[in-house]
Amino acid sequence: MLMIDFIGQFNPVVQALLATLFTWGLTALGAGVVIFTKQVDPRLMDVSLGFAGGVMIAASFWSLLAPAITMAEEAGMIPWVPAAIGFVGGALFMRLIDALLPHLHLRLPTSEAEGPKTSWRRSTLLVLAITLHNIPEGLAVGVAFGAVASGIGTATIGAAIALGIGIGLQNFPEGMAVSLPLRREGISRSKALWYGQLSGMVEPVAGVVGAAAVIYFYPILPFALAFAAGAMIFVVIEEVIPESQRGNNGDISSIGTVLGFTAMMILDVALG
């Protein structure tokens, strides 16, 4: 494929940067919907968030955990040990950040903000919540591209690209989920757009860090893949799925989750 050939000519760190710039771009594109409207059908938002959760769950296994287990086995390790340690470590890392950084989940009143008490504005707390969400996504994409440099057959440029596409697709509704509520609260279109895209800005940073880490510290690769998976699953359980089910559209949001999982699985198998 032309895309694989194009991306393949760069070193893995640049590949990770390009891929996460793409995922950030789709976050900005989703946030840009606020230019045209300040309200979308709640059913569409819930099914989109469900889709995002499904993509993240599928990516955590197909693109991260399964390769981590295979790589550990090929390296002569007990296959499940790096996967288990990394997975739990990623979840605990996100829980620690969750406890230390003030943030507010979507559709909740400011009084229910999590983390340390703060006088920060509601808009800031909402952006921080999605930013927390995006850290493991950028890290996952970066680690996937960094793994390609390992030369292990299970880590392919096609699989890394598939992960980048999947994360990008589910970033679109995340951008809307930030900008539209801010617009409804009276913030200008330009500021709502700015805050919406700002939440995805962390992904290129996390992607480059993830790629560089596994290239220069190769032995941690299986742990790093599983770490990214654990961090993403924590976010899905803590934020994405509960948010998609918070309205009265539980059935269609669940269907969205199934569709998201299926789409990510197809991408990974087809390109990987």
Side-chain angles (χ1 to χ4, degrees), residues 100-123:
L100 294 178
L101 189 65
H103 61 282
L104 177 66
H105 294 300
L106 300 171
R107 303 184 192 177
L108 292 180
T110 306
S111 60
E112 294 189 32
E114 298 182 6
K117 297 297 182 183
T118 179
S119 60
W120 292 351
R121 297 176 61 182
R122 177 179 174 84
S123 58

PDB file of all heavy atoms in Angstrom, residues 100-123:
ATOM      1  N   LEU A 100      -3.938  12.703  41.036  1.00  0.00           N
ATOM      2  CA  LEU A 100      -3.082  13.859  41.274  1.00  0.00           C
ATOM      3  C   LEU A 100      -3.477  15.106  40.475  1.00  0.00           C
ATOM      4  O   LEU A 100      -3.137  16.223  40.863  1.00  0.00           O
ATOM      5  CB  LEU A 100      -1.619  13.516  40.962  1.00  0.00           C
ATOM      6  CG  LEU A 100      -0.958  12.470  41.867  1.00  0.00           C
ATOM      7  CD1 LEU A 100       0.471  12.203  41.413  1.00  0.00           C
ATOM      8  CD2 LEU A 100      -0.977  12.923  43.321  1.00  0.00           C
ATOM      9  N   LEU A 101      -4.188  14.904  39.356  1.00  0.00           N
ATOM     10  CA  LEU A 101      -4.506  16.037  38.487  1.00  0.00           C
ATOM     11  C   LEU A 101      -6.002  16.345  38.527  1.00  0.00           C
ATOM     12  O   LEU A 101      -6.817  15.466  38.229  1.00  0.00           O
ATOM     13  CB  LEU A 101      -4.081  15.721  37.053  1.00  0.00           C
ATOM     14  CG  LEU A 101      -4.135  16.875  36.052  1.00  0.00           C
ATOM     15  CD1 LEU A 101      -3.138  17.962  36.439  1.00  0.00           C
ATOM     16  CD2 LEU A 101      -3.828  16.367  34.639  1.00  0.00           C
ATOM     17  N   PRO A 102      -6.377  17.561  38.868  1.00  0.00           N
ATOM     18  CA  PRO A 102      -7.806  17.908  38.879  1.00  0.00           C
ATOM     19  C   PRO A 102      -8.407  17.772  37.482  1.00  0.00           C
ATOM     20  O   PRO A 102      -7.795  18.184  36.497  1.00  0.00           O
ATOM     21  CB  PRO A 102      -7.811  19.372  39.342  1.00  0.00           C
ATOM     22  CG  PRO A 102      -6.492  19.588  40.007  1.00  0.00           C
ATOM     23  CD  PRO A 102      -5.522  18.693  39.281  1.00  0.00           C
ATOM     24  N   HIS A 103      -9.603  17.196  37.390  1.00  0.00           N
ATOM     25  CA  HIS A 103     -10.266  17.047  36.100  1.00  0.00           C
ATOM     26  C   HIS A 103     -11.741  16.787  36.328  1.00  0.00           C
ATOM     27  O   HIS A 103     -12.167  16.439  37.431  1.00  0.00           O
ATOM     28  CB  HIS A 103      -9.636  15.914  35.279  1.00  0.00           C
ATOM     29  CG  HIS A 103      -9.732  14.574  35.948  1.00  0.00           C
ATOM     30  ND1 HIS A 103      -8.904  14.193  36.983  1.00  0.00           N
ATOM     31  CD2 HIS A 103     -10.560  13.517  35.728  1.00  0.00           C
ATOM     32  CE1 HIS A 103      -9.209  12.970  37.378  1.00  0.00           C
ATOM     33  NE2 HIS A 103     -10.217  12.534  36.644  1.00  0.00           N
ATOM     34  N   LEU A 104     -12.518  16.954  35.258  1.00  0.00           N
ATOM     35  CA  LEU A 104     -13.965  16.802  35.344  1.00  0.00           C
ATOM     36  C   LEU A 104     -14.457  15.985  34.162  1.00  0.00           C
ATOM     37  O   LEU A 104     -14.198  16.337  33.008  1.00  0.00           O
ATOM     38  CB  LEU A 104     -14.648  18.176  35.349  1.00  0.00           C
ATOM     39  CG  LEU A 104     -16.175  18.201  35.362  1.00  0.00           C
ATOM     40  CD1 LEU A 104     -16.703  17.626  36.669  1.00  0.00           C
ATOM     41  CD2 LEU A 104     -16.694  19.627  35.158  1.00  0.00           C
ATOM     42  N   HIS A 105     -15.166  14.914  34.452  1.00  0.00           N
ATOM     43  CA  HIS A 105     -15.718  14.101  33.383  1.00  0.00           C
ATOM     44  C   HIS A 105     -16.911  14.808  32.742  1.00  0.00           C
ATOM     45  O   HIS A 105     -17.602  15.608  33.377  1.00  0.00           O
ATOM     46  CB  HIS A 105     -16.135  12.728  33.910  1.00  0.00           C
ATOM     47  CG  HIS A 105     -14.987  11.895  34.375  1.00  0.00           C
ATOM     48  ND1 HIS A 105     -13.953  11.521  33.535  1.00  0.00           N
ATOM     49  CD2 HIS A 105     -14.676  11.374  35.590  1.00  0.00           C
ATOM     50  CE1 HIS A 105     -13.078  10.796  34.217  1.00  0.00           C
ATOM     51  NE2 HIS A 105     -13.474  10.701  35.459  1.00  0.00           N
ATOM     52  N   LEU A 106     -17.140  14.494  31.478  1.00  0.00           N
ATOM     53  CA  LEU A 106     -18.208  15.138  30.720  1.00  0.00           C
ATOM     54  C   LEU A 106     -19.573  14.909  31.372  1.00  0.00           C
ATOM     55  O   LEU A 106     -19.826  13.870  31.978  1.00  0.00           O
ATOM     56  CB  LEU A 106     -18.225  14.587  29.289  1.00  0.00           C
ATOM     57  CG  LEU A 106     -16.931  14.790  28.481  1.00  0.00           C
ATOM     58  CD1 LEU A 106     -17.004  14.023  27.179  1.00  0.00           C
ATOM     59  CD2 LEU A 106     -16.700  16.265  28.222  1.00  0.00           C
ATOM     60  N   ARG A 107     -20.437  15.907  31.234  1.00  0.00           N
ATOM     61  CA  ARG A 107     -21.832  15.855  31.687  1.00  0.00           C
ATOM     62  C   ARG A 107     -21.979  15.852  33.208  1.00  0.00           C
ATOM     63  O   ARG A 107     -23.084  15.640  33.718  1.00  0.00           O
ATOM     64  CB  ARG A 107     -22.556  14.632  31.101  1.00  0.00           C
ATOM     65  CG  ARG A 107     -22.554  14.564  29.582  1.00  0.00           C
ATOM     66  CD  ARG A 107     -23.371  13.388  29.103  1.00  0.00           C
ATOM     67  NE  ARG A 107     -23.167  13.122  27.698  1.00  0.00           N
ATOM     68  CZ  ARG A 107     -23.724  12.119  27.030  1.00  0.00           C
ATOM     69  NH1 ARG A 107     -24.530  11.275  27.651  1.00  0.00           N
ATOM     70  NH2 ARG A 107     -23.486  11.931  25.749  1.00  0.00           N
ATOM     71  N   LEU A 108     -20.905  16.030  33.945  1.00  0.00           N
ATOM     72  CA  LEU A 108     -21.006  16.081  35.395  1.00  0.00           C
ATOM     73  C   LEU A 108     -20.890  17.528  35.876  1.00  0.00           C
ATOM     74  O   LEU A 108     -20.205  18.337  35.253  1.00  0.00           O
ATOM     75  CB  LEU A 108     -19.903  15.236  36.040  1.00  0.00           C
ATOM     76  CG  LEU A 108     -19.985  13.720  35.841  1.00  0.00           C
ATOM     77  CD1 LEU A 108     -18.821  13.033  36.547  1.00  0.00           C
ATOM     78  CD2 LEU A 108     -21.310  13.170  36.344  1.00  0.00           C
ATOM     79  N   PRO A 109     -21.524  17.870  36.983  1.00  0.00           N
ATOM     80  CA  PRO A 109     -21.391  19.230  37.520  1.00  0.00           C
ATOM     81  C   PRO A 109     -19.986  19.459  38.064  1.00  0.00           C
ATOM     82  O   PRO A 109     -19.283  18.518  38.435  1.00  0.00           O
ATOM     83  CB  PRO A 109     -22.433  19.262  38.635  1.00  0.00           C
ATOM     84  CG  PRO A 109     -22.619  17.838  39.042  1.00  0.00           C
ATOM     85  CD  PRO A 109     -22.442  17.035  37.784  1.00  0.00           C
ATOM     86  N   THR A 110     -19.585  20.711  38.127  1.00  0.00           N
ATOM     87  CA  THR A 110     -18.241  21.052  38.598  1.00  0.00           C
ATOM     88  C   THR A 110     -17.985  20.534  40.007  1.00  0.00           C
ATOM     89  O   THR A 110     -16.846  20.217  40.367  1.00  0.00           O
ATOM     90  CB  THR A 110     -18.043  22.579  38.558  1.00  0.00           C
ATOM     91  OG1 THR A 110     -18.352  23.047  37.237  1.00  0.00           O
ATOM     92  CG2 THR A 110     -16.609  22.962  38.897  1.00  0.00           C
ATOM     93  N   SER A 111     -19.038  20.419  40.810  1.00  0.00           N
ATOM     94  CA  SER A 111     -18.891  19.931  42.181  1.00  0.00           C
ATOM     95  C   SER A 111     -18.378  18.497  42.242  1.00  0.00           C
ATOM     96  O   SER A 111     -17.881  18.050  43.272  1.00  0.00           O
ATOM     97  CB  SER A 111     -20.224  20.025  42.925  1.00  0.00           C
ATOM     98  OG  SER A 111     -21.221  19.246  42.282  1.00  0.00           O
ATOM     99  N   GLU A 112     -18.487  17.751  41.128  1.00  0.00           N
ATOM    100  CA  GLU A 112     -18.042  16.362  41.095  1.00  0.00           C
ATOM    101  C   GLU A 112     -16.692  16.201  40.403  1.00  0.00           C
ATOM    102  O   GLU A 112     -16.328  15.109  39.966  1.00  0.00           O
ATOM    103  CB  GLU A 112     -19.091  15.492  40.399  1.00  0.00           C
ATOM    104  CG  GLU A 112     -20.402  15.401  41.168  1.00  0.00           C
ATOM    105  CD  GLU A 112     -21.354  14.371  40.590  1.00  0.00           C
ATOM    106  OE1 GLU A 112     -20.880  13.362  40.042  1.00  0.00           O
ATOM    107  OE2 GLU A 112     -22.581  14.576  40.698  1.00  0.00           O
ATOM    108  N   ALA A 113     -15.929  17.291  40.312  1.00  0.00           N
ATOM    109  CA  ALA A 113     -14.580  17.212  39.759  1.00  0.00           C
ATOM    110  C   ALA A 113     -13.729  16.271  40.604  1.00  0.00           C
ATOM    111  O   ALA A 113     -13.864  16.220  41.831  1.00  0.00           O
ATOM    112  CB  ALA A 113     -13.947  18.598  39.713  1.00  0.00           C
ATOM    113  N   GLU A 114     -12.841  15.524  39.953  1.00  0.00           N
ATOM    114  CA  GLU A 114     -11.999  14.561  40.644  1.00  0.00           C
ATOM    115  C   GLU A 114     -10.595  15.128  40.831  1.00  0.00           C
ATOM    116  O   GLU A 114     -10.204  16.095  40.185  1.00  0.00           O
ATOM    117  CB  GLU A 114     -11.948  13.252  39.849  1.00  0.00           C
ATOM    118  CG  GLU A 114     -13.298  12.575  39.710  1.00  0.00           C
ATOM    119  CD  GLU A 114     -13.210  11.259  38.954  1.00  0.00           C
ATOM    120  OE1 GLU A 114     -12.087  10.824  38.641  1.00  0.00           O
ATOM    121  OE2 GLU A 114     -14.263  10.667  38.684  1.00  0.00           O
ATOM    122  N   GLY A 115      -9.827  14.489  41.703  1.00  0.00           N
ATOM    123  CA  GLY A 115      -8.481  14.949  41.988  1.00  0.00           C
ATOM    124  C   GLY A 115      -8.481  16.015  43.074  1.00  0.00           C
ATOM    125  O   GLY A 115      -9.504  16.267  43.725  1.00  0.00           O
ATOM    126  N   PRO A 116      -7.346  16.670  43.282  1.00  0.00           N
ATOM    127  CA  PRO A 116      -7.253  17.701  44.323  1.00  0.00           C
ATOM    128  C   PRO A 116      -8.240  18.832  44.088  1.00  0.00           C
ATOM    129  O   PRO A 116      -8.567  19.168  42.960  1.00  0.00           O
ATOM    130  CB  PRO A 116      -5.801  18.196  44.181  1.00  0.00           C
ATOM    131  CG  PRO A 116      -5.077  17.096  43.493  1.00  0.00           C
ATOM    132  CD  PRO A 116      -6.072  16.451  42.588  1.00  0.00           C
ATOM    133  N   LYS A 117      -8.718  19.419  45.161  1.00  0.00           N
ATOM    134  CA  LYS A 117      -9.630  20.552  45.066  1.00  0.00           C
ATOM    135  C   LYS A 117      -8.913  21.729  44.402  1.00  0.00           C
ATOM    136  O   LYS A 117      -7.742  21.984  44.642  1.00  0.00           O
ATOM    137  CB  LYS A 117     -10.120  20.965  46.446  1.00  0.00           C
ATOM    138  CG  LYS A 117     -10.938  19.893  47.161  1.00  0.00           C
ATOM    139  CD  LYS A 117     -12.216  19.585  46.390  1.00  0.00           C
ATOM    140  CE  LYS A 117     -13.054  18.537  47.129  1.00  0.00           C
ATOM    141  NZ  LYS A 117     -14.278  18.174  46.359  1.00  0.00           N
ATOM    142  N   THR A 118      -9.634  22.437  43.545  1.00  0.00           N
ATOM    143  CA  THR A 118      -9.019  23.532  42.804  1.00  0.00           C
ATOM    144  C   THR A 118     -10.069  24.579  42.453  1.00  0.00           C
ATOM    145  O   THR A 118     -11.275  24.289  42.452  1.00  0.00           O
ATOM    146  CB  THR A 118      -8.353  23.011  41.514  1.00  0.00           C
ATOM    147  OG1 THR A 118      -7.781  24.110  40.803  1.00  0.00           O
ATOM    148  CG2 THR A 118      -9.373  22.338  40.621  1.00  0.00           C
ATOM    149  N   SER A 119      -9.613  25.765  42.142  1.00  0.00           N
ATOM    150  CA  SER A 119     -10.510  26.833  41.692  1.00  0.00           C
ATOM    151  C   SER A 119     -10.477  26.980  40.178  1.00  0.00           C
ATOM    152  O   SER A 119     -11.009  27.943  39.636  1.00  0.00           O
ATOM    153  CB  SER A 119     -10.102  28.159  42.351  1.00  0.00           C
ATOM    154  OG  SER A 119      -8.765  28.502  42.002  1.00  0.00           O
ATOM    155  N   TRP A 120      -9.846  26.025  39.489  1.00  0.00           N
ATOM    156  CA  TRP A 120      -9.767  26.103  38.033  1.00  0.00           C
ATOM    157  C   TRP A 120     -11.157  26.123  37.420  1.00  0.00           C
ATOM    158  O   TRP A 120     -12.109  25.552  37.957  1.00  0.00           O
ATOM    159  CB  TRP A 120      -8.982  24.913  37.488  1.00  0.00           C
ATOM    160  CG  TRP A 120      -7.525  24.937  37.845  1.00  0.00           C
ATOM    161  CD1 TRP A 120      -6.842  25.955  38.434  1.00  0.00           C
ATOM    162  CD2 TRP A 120      -6.593  23.876  37.657  1.00  0.00           C
ATOM    163  NE1 TRP A 120      -5.526  25.603  38.610  1.00  0.00           N
ATOM    164  CE2 TRP A 120      -5.339  24.342  38.147  1.00  0.00           C
ATOM    165  CE3 TRP A 120      -6.675  22.597  37.116  1.00  0.00           C
ATOM    166  CZ2 TRP A 120      -4.193  23.565  38.120  1.00  0.00           C
ATOM    167  CZ3 TRP A 120      -5.540  21.806  37.083  1.00  0.00           C
ATOM    168  CH2 TRP A 120      -4.311  22.291  37.573  1.00  0.00           C
ATOM    169  N   ARG A 121     -11.250  26.747  36.260  1.00  0.00           N
ATOM    170  CA  ARG A 121     -12.526  26.870  35.566  1.00  0.00           C
ATOM    171  C   ARG A 121     -12.982  25.520  35.031  1.00  0.00           C
ATOM    172  O   ARG A 121     -12.184  24.613  34.794  1.00  0.00           O
ATOM    173  CB  ARG A 121     -12.400  27.872  34.415  1.00  0.00           C
ATOM    174  CG  ARG A 121     -12.064  29.275  34.875  1.00  0.00           C
ATOM    175  CD  ARG A 121     -11.846  30.201  33.690  1.00  0.00           C
ATOM    176  NE  ARG A 121     -13.028  30.307  32.852  1.00  0.00           N
ATOM    177  CZ  ARG A 121     -13.083  31.035  31.732  1.00  0.00           C
ATOM    178  NH1 ARG A 121     -12.006  31.700  31.329  1.00  0.00           N
ATOM    179  NH2 ARG A 121     -14.189  31.089  31.022  1.00  0.00           N
ATOM    180  N   ARG A 122     -14.287  25.409  34.829  1.00  0.00           N
ATOM    181  CA  ARG A 122     -14.878  24.165  34.325  1.00  0.00           C
ATOM    182  C   ARG A 122     -14.266  23.755  32.989  1.00  0.00           C
ATOM    183  O   ARG A 122     -13.983  22.574  32.751  1.00  0.00           O
ATOM    184  CB  ARG A 122     -16.392  24.353  34.179  1.00  0.00           C
ATOM    185  CG  ARG A 122     -17.116  23.148  33.595  1.00  0.00           C
ATOM    186  CD  ARG A 122     -18.612  23.400  33.514  1.00  0.00           C
ATOM    187  NE  ARG A 122     -19.276  22.299  32.834  1.00  0.00           N
ATOM    188  CZ  ARG A 122     -19.659  21.181  33.423  1.00  0.00           C
ATOM    189  NH1 ARG A 122     -19.421  21.009  34.705  1.00  0.00           N
ATOM    190  NH2 ARG A 122     -20.271  20.216  32.746  1.00  0.00           N
ATOM    191  N   SER A 123     -14.041  24.734  32.109  1.00  0.00           N
ATOM    192  CA  SER A 123     -13.475  24.420  30.799  1.00  0.00           C
ATOM    193  C   SER A 123     -12.097  23.769  30.939  1.00  0.00           C
ATOM    194  O   SER A 123     -11.780  22.805  30.234  1.00  0.00           O
ATOM    195  CB  SER A 123     -13.374  25.688  29.947  1.00  0.00           C
ATOM    196  OG  SER A 123     -12.584  26.666  30.598  1.00  0.00           O
TER     197      SER A 123
END
